[in-house]
């Protein structure tokens, strides 16, 4: 009986399709599953950031500039409460230095309610609503503290996720198109075309990216609309990003074009474009996906670095880099360390993409 | 071998040429040229500028000829050491860069050495002790190093040092040495300031190299000659360092081609955060004030740095890898 089960498992292995095998191998990679889960959560939050945020991101709570993060409590003097709450924060001015001092006032507590009516928003500019996942009815709720204008950093971080996470996807899509076309041409035709494209790639790789990006994005006119700046930054990032992908595509093509099925297609009279698109690309799609996953974090880091310097996206657009721009001066960081919180999200996102990519790479070659 | 070196040399010169074109484009990028803003400035101060004066000014700055001629003029001047003026600093660009390039090269070089000294032994350890606790720790460290952007690491280090030790790790010299001429004291002072930037800039590169070294060595260790040698009773240590490590190091050396741009690139942004006296902050300031001759030249020199570095790594590879050395002789 046991023997019979073993055989059926083995048979399953032989009759499984390539994608099934990949999936099985991928599921075994714990870190990749973890990374993938984190990313799914992040992207859901980014898509519905209006709902998950607690406040309008442009609302200035001028009385609460640079307010430190408020802690969520379950216990107070009376004991445990099932409903979490925050204590009131009071601002006083130091009479000598005029520094703002925030003290927690334990006499007043504000319970946190779920699905609460708060600031109005338009989800994706389509649906009007004012329901937030959670919030307080009275008082303030600054989970990550506030910035210099008293804007809620928690809500701003969530909104920023939408921009930062999408820039990676859009940028990678652009690199993908460029890389596939140029790498495909390079690998399929060979000869002088291949030579030229390879030299261009070598040149682009030898340029230090950040100085080049800085110079290009600094040249974007100030008066451009945020959307135009956004896409220009994506194009600037993709300018170098396609190189790695083009190399993968080329290398694999050189290997595959010698295969029999390629020759068969040629004899059957298929055009060059059709052979590349229909026969060659699908056979190494898995390698492409791995490469794409690993180049998304690279794009996110690029955008964050540029915006941090004030050369990338500009306010009122919020991305993680734009938020970190406030932390450029380290004296500000010493006084208000919570301004670095958006940076934690950058690190987690990049890590998650790397884990996912690692798992996908192992799964990409299921016959090994 | 000579033909190989010659080929790389010609290739390098071509790349330097293309780099200069890119830099020239960067200089030309911002809308309006220097002359336009100069004329506006003159007019706002009450000076009438006639048509003839504009023409003569154009002639003087070489703006009356087509763009490709302007490029060759610019190159021609550059070959004679004239990189144009920095309008913000009111100094020749060549002078500004000469002050900061040596320090930039030095920091990049030290970082490169640091990267290799740290990455190669760790890579060897991780490969020989695959799936051990140490291997996992280094893997985690490697992933973290890749994930933390340079500027964030710099900020966090500065923050921690300031908060717990009360010292500021920014800059490359203490205030008393900043303007002083070079001396033993200044050099020692600089050595004290070097570790922070080197660690910040080197982390990402080190993390990447550990992965490469580990992967290459693992591939080598699985090969049959290793099994044969082991079967013949070669001592484990001798076996490891004499054959597989030597082979696995080759790809590491050839990755200087992308490690160096990464270091220069990371160095730029780190230097801005840590306010180091290198080309990075100079470029940043130049871009903010649209001081384009300075910006273009800075990008050009940073790229030169990586291109020449890659060329040197090619030469190193010839020296280390006999397969390339004898390739053409056969």
């Amino acid at each position: 009986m046991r023997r019979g089960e073993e055989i059926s498992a083995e048979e399953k292995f032989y009759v499984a399709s390539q994608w099934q095998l990949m999936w099985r191998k991928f599921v075994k990679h714990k870190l990749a599953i973890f990374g993938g889960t984190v990313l799914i959560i992040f992207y859901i939050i980014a898509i519905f950031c209006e709902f998950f945020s607690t406040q309008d991101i442009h609302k200035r709570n001028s009385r609460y500039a640079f307010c430190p993060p408020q802690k969520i409590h379950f216990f107070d003097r009376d004991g445990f409460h099932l409903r979490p709450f925050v204590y009131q924060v009071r601002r006083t001015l130091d009479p000598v230095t005029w520094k703002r001092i925030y003290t927690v006032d334990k006499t007043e507590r504000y319970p946190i309610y779920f699905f609460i009516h708060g600031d109005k928003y338009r989800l994706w500019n389509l649906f009007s609503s004012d329901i937030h996942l959670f919030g307080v009815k009275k008082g303030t709720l600054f989970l990550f503290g506030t910035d210099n204008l008293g804007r809620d950093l928690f809500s701003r971080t969530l909104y920023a996720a939408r921009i930062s996470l999408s820039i990676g996807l859009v940028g990678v899509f652009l690199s993908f198109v460029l890389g596939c076309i140029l790498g495909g041409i390079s690998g399929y035709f060979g000869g002088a075309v291949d030579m030229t494209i390879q030299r261009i790639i070598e040149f682009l790789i030898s340029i230090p990216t950040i100085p080049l990006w800085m110079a290009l994005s600094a040249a974007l006119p100030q008066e451009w609309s945020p959307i135009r700046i956004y896409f220009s930054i994506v194009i600037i990032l993709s300018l170098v990003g396609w190189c790695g992908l083009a190399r993968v595509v080329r290398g694999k093509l050189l290997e595959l074009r010698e295969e029999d099925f390629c020759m068969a297609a040629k004899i059957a009279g298929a055009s060059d474009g059709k052979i590349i698109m229909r026969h060659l690309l699908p056979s190494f799609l898995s390698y492409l996906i791995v490469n794409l996953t690993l180049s998304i974090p690279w794009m996110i880091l690029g955008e964050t670095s540029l915006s941090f310097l004030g050369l990338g996206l500009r306010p009122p657009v919020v991305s993680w880099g734009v938020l970190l721009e406030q932390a450029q001066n380290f004296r500000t960081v010493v006084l208000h360390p919570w301004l670095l919180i958006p940076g934690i999200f950058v690190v987690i996102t990049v890590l998650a993409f790397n884990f996912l990519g690692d798992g996908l790479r192992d799964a990409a070659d299921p016959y090994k | 071998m000579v033909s190989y070196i010659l080929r790389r040399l010609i290739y390098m010169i071509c790349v330097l040429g293309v780099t200069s074109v890119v830099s020239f484009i960067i200089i030309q990028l911002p809308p309006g040229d220097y002359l336009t803003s100069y004329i506006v400035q003159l007019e706002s101060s009450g000076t009438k500028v006639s048509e003839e004066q504009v023409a003569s000014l154009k002639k003087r700055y070489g703006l009356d000829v087509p763009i490709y001629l302007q490029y060759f003029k610019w190159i021609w001047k550059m070959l004679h050491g004239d990189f144009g003026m920095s309008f913000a600093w009111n100094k020749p660009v060549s002078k500004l860069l000469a002050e900061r390039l040596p320090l930039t090269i030095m920091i990049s070089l030290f970082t490169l050495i640091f990267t290799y000294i740290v990455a190669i032994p760790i890579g060897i350890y991780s490969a020989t002790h695959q799936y051990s606790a140490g291997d996992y720790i280094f893997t985690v460290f490697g992933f973290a190093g890749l994930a933390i952007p340079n500027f964030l690491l710099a900020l966090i280090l500065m923050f921690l040092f300031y908060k717990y030790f009360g010292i500021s790790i920014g800059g490359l010299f203490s205030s008393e040495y900043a303007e002083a001429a070079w001396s033993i004291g200044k050099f020692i002072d600089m050595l004290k300031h070097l570790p922070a930037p080197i660690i910040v800039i080197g982390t990402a590169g080190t993390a990447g190299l550990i992965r490469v070294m580990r992967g290459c060595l693992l591939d080598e260790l699985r090969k049959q000659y290793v099994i044969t040698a082991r079967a013949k009773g070669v001592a484990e240590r001798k076996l490891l360092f004499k054959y597989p490590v030597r082979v696995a190091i080759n790809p590491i050396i050839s990755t200087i081609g992308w490690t160096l741009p990464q270091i220069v690139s990371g160095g730029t942004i780190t230097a801005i955060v840590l306010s180091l006296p290198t080309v990075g902050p100079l470029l940043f300031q130049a871009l903010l004030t649209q001081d384009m001759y300075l910006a273009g030249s800075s990008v050009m020199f940073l790229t030169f740095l990586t291109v020449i570095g890659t060329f040197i790594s090619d030469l190193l590879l010839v020296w280390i890898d006999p397969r390339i050395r004898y390739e053409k002789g056969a």
Side-chain angles (χ1 to χ4, degrees):
Chain A
M1 189 65 204
R2 262 196 75 199
R3 206 180 144 68
E5 266 172 24
E6 256 171 47
I7 289 169
S8 77
E10 203 175 303
E11 273 173 354
K12 255 189 199 161
F13 179 81
Y14 284 115
V15 296
S17 73
Q18 188 184 359
W19 294 102
Q20 279 172 327
L21 288 178
M22 283 184 193
W23 175 248
R24 259 182 238 165
K25 200 159 178 194
F26 175 73
V27 175
K28 276 190 201 146
H29 201 295
K30 292 282 179 317
L31 272 179
I33 294 289
F34 174 71
T37 316
V38 168
L39 286 176
I40 290 172
I41 295 171
F42 274 21
Y43 273 95
I44 288 175
I45 291 178
I47 292 168
F48 300 102
C49 63
E50 286 96 344
F51 169 68
F52 287 102
S53 67
T54 52
Q55 274 195 23
D56 180 2
I57 54 162
H58 300 297
K59 191 167 94 181
R60 298 177 180 188
N61 307 292
S62 49
R63 288 175 52 237
Y64 292 98
F66 285 130
C67 173
Q70 285 173 279
K71 288 194 185 79
I72 296 178
H73 296 269
F74 285 96
F75 291 92
D76 67 357
R77 281 163 311 181
D78 311 331
F80 177 76
H81 297 265
L82 190 60
R83 188 172 285 290
F85 62 90
V86 290
Y87 286 118
Q88 192 187 17
V89 178
R90 281 189 196 284
R91 188 181 73 162
T92 46
L93 279 180
D94 188 305
V96 185
T97 59
W98 282 76
K99 234 173 83 176
R100 282 177 293 258
I101 299 170
Y102 288 99
T103 44
V104 177
D105 180 2
K106 294 210 168 178
T107 54
E108 190 89 47
R109 59 186 197 89
Y110 303 123
I112 293 170
Y113 295 94
F114 288 92
F115 301 104
I116 193 175
H117 291 277
D119 292 324
K120 282 195 168 43
Y121 59 83
R122 285 179 69 83
L123 187 62
W124 312 322
N125 241 338
L126 288 176
F127 313 105
S128 291
S129 175
D130 61 351
I131 294 184
H132 296 260
L133 179 64
F134 61 94
V136 288
K137 285 182 176 158
K138 204 152 59 84
T140 57
L141 178 64
F142 303 125
L143 286 182
F144 293 171
T146 62
D147 65 2
N148 57 344
L149 297 172
R151 292 173 296 195
D152 177 35
L153 203 56
F154 174 76
S155 305
R156 288 175 75 76
T157 306
L158 297 193
Y159 273 73
R162 179 178 282 178
I163 303 286
S164 291
L165 290 175
S166 72
I167 224 165
L169 291 187
V170 180
V172 154
F173 176 73
L174 211 67
S175 310
F176 175 75
V177 174
L178 272 175
C180 280
I181 293 175
L182 290 170
I185 291 173
S186 185
Y188 190 77
F189 291 106
V193 185
D194 184 31
M195 246 300 270
T196 319
I197 294 178
Q198 286 314 304
R199 289 297 92 82
I200 293 174
I201 291 177
E202 273 174 35
F203 171 69
L204 285 174
I205 288 179
S206 70
I207 302 183
T209 45
I210 286 187
L212 180 73
W213 285 343
M214 279 166 69
L216 292 178
S217 55
L220 300 178
Q222 293 283 338
E223 65 274 8
W224 277 12
S225 68
I227 289 285
R228 233 172 131 180
I229 296 273
Y230 177 92
F231 282 106
S232 312
I233 296 285
V234 173
I235 290 170
I236 289 173
L237 293 177
S238 317
L239 214 59
V240 186
W242 63 272
C243 297
L245 196 76
R247 285 198 150 173
V248 175
V249 173
R250 172 181 176 267
K252 280 280 148 193
L253 272 186
L254 286 180
E255 210 179 298
L256 287 169
R257 71 171 180 184
E258 307 298 329
E259 298 274 345
D260 290 341
F261 67 83
C262 200
M263 180 61 77
K266 204 173 255 175
I267 292 168
S271 68
D272 284 343
K274 195 168 181 184
I275 292 177
I276 294 180
M277 295 313 286
R278 285 296 291 275
H279 299 287
L280 297 183
L281 271 182
S283 48
F284 58 89
L285 199 66
S286 53
Y287 291 93
L288 287 186
I289 294 173
V290 172
N291 203 281
L292 286 181
T293 319
L294 289 173
S295 49
I296 293 173
W298 199 69
M299 293 262 167
I300 295 178
L301 283 180
E303 184 274 325
T304 310
S305 304
L306 280 182
S307 302
F308 167 73
L309 290 175
L311 295 171
L313 301 172
R314 301 168 190 142
V317 174
V318 280
S319 75
W320 287 331
V322 172
L323 294 179
L324 284 170
E325 196 190 338
Q326 286 211 350
Q328 224 184 64
N329 183 338
F330 102 101
R331 289 187 199 287
T332 325
V333 178
V334 171
L335 291 173
H336 320 290
W338 56 89
L339 290 178
L340 287 180
I341 290 176
I344 299 172
F345 282 82
V346 177
V347 175
I348 294 176
T349 309
V350 175
L351 268 180
F353 268 116
N354 278 328
F355 288 152
L356 183 67
D358 227 39
L360 288 177
R361 182 171 21 212
D362 284 354
D365 212 347
Y367 300 109
K368 229 180 198 173
Chain B
M1 190 176 96
V2 175
S3 84
Y4 171 80
I5 294 177
L6 216 65
R7 224 169 41 227
R8 297 307 303 181
L9 193 70
I10 293 171
Y11 173 65
M12 181 185 76
I13 292 169
C14 291
V15 171
L16 293 183
V18 180
T19 311
S20 73
V21 175
V22 172
S23 310
F24 187 70
I25 294 172
I26 288 174
I27 292 176
Q28 301 292 330
L29 266 185
D33 49 44
Y34 164 63
L35 199 61
T36 324
S37 44
Y38 183 62
I39 291 170
V40 170
Q41 199 187 332
L42 279 182
E43 275 175 346
S44 67
S45 63
T47 321
K48 273 266 175 232
V49 186
S50 67
E51 287 287 320
E52 292 98 72
Q53 274 171 312
V54 172
S56 79
L57 275 173
K58 271 195 171 167
K59 207 173 168 63
R60 195 173 137 204
Y61 288 102
L63 295 173
D64 55 340
V65 291
I67 193 96
Y68 63 92
L69 274 181
Q70 283 186 37
Y71 167 73
F72 285 115
K73 258 191 167 165
W74 176 70
I75 287 279
W76 184 248
K77 276 192 190 164
M78 219 165 51
L79 290 174
H80 291 79
D82 178 8
F83 294 90
M85 282 291 280
S86 157
F87 304 119
W89 292 71
N90 216 359
K91 270 186 186 173
V93 168
S94 51
K95 209 174 159 204
L96 284 168
L97 285 175
E99 280 170 17
R100 284 162 178 257
L101 257 184
L103 283 174
T104 313
I105 295 174
M106 192 195 66
I107 289 186
S108 308
L109 207 64
F110 276 147
T111 310
L112 194 66
I113 294 169
F114 165 82
T115 311
Y116 280 71
I117 288 178
V118 176
I120 292 176
I122 293 183
I124 294 175
Y125 177 86
S126 280
T128 50
H129 299 74
Q130 200 187 3
Y131 301 131
S132 69
D135 182 29
Y136 276 118
I137 291 171
F138 287 128
T139 305
V140 169
F141 162 77
F143 273 122
L146 283 176
I148 301 179
N150 278 313
F151 70 88
L152 199 63
L153 189 60
L155 273 175
I156 292 171
L157 274 189
M158 276 175 113
F159 169 63
L160 292 179
F161 269 86
Y162 190 81
K163 188 158 185 197
Y164 294 105
F165 303 107
I167 49 171
S168 160
I169 56 167
L172 207 50
F173 304 106
S174 307
S175 49
E176 67 261 34
Y177 287 112
E179 297 293 322
W182 280 100
S183 62
I184 305 273
K186 183 171 181 175
F187 187 69
I188 292 170
D189 181 60
M190 184 188 75
L191 287 185
K192 277 186 205 154
H193 283 80
L194 267 182
I198 286 180
I199 290 172
V200 171
I201 303 168
T203 311
T206 310
L209 273 190
I210 290 175
R211 306 287 305 164
V212 175
M213 184 75 202
R214 180 178 178 272
C216 288
L217 193 54
L218 277 177
D219 283 348
E220 264 332 290
L221 286 175
R222 284 194 204 110
K223 288 196 176 155
Q224 299 207 328
Y225 72 89
V226 178
I227 301 170
T228 311
R230 197 170 281 148
K232 285 191 161 194
V234 180
E236 194 62 21
R237 181 171 290 265
K238 189 178 166 195
L239 165 71
L240 181 66
F241 285 97
K242 193 144 187 207
Y243 307 106
V245 168
R246 248 189 101 183
V247 180
I249 270 183
N250 281 333
I252 296 271
I253 302 287
S254 57
T255 54
I256 290 186
W258 58 259
T259 313
L260 202 61
Q262 202 183 356
I263 286 176
V264 172
S265 175
T268 306
I269 194 162
T270 310
I272 295 168
V273 177
L274 292 176
S275 52
L276 306 177
T278 58
V279 177
L282 197 67
L283 169 66
F284 183 50
Q285 283 306 320
L287 287 173
L288 289 184
T289 52
Q290 297 235 328
D291 191 355
M292 291 325 285
Y293 276 108
L294 184 55
S297 309
S298 303
V299 173
M300 187 169 71
F301 273 100
L302 289 177
T303 312
F304 277 11
L305 207 65
T306 63
V307 173
I308 294 171
T310 311
F311 174 67
I312 294 172
S313 85
D314 284 339
L315 295 188
L316 267 181
L317 206 59
V318 173
W319 177 57
I320 288 177
D321 191 345
R323 285 174 296 188
I324 298 176
R325 212 181 315 157
Y326 298 121
E327 177 196 14
K328 279 288 143 183

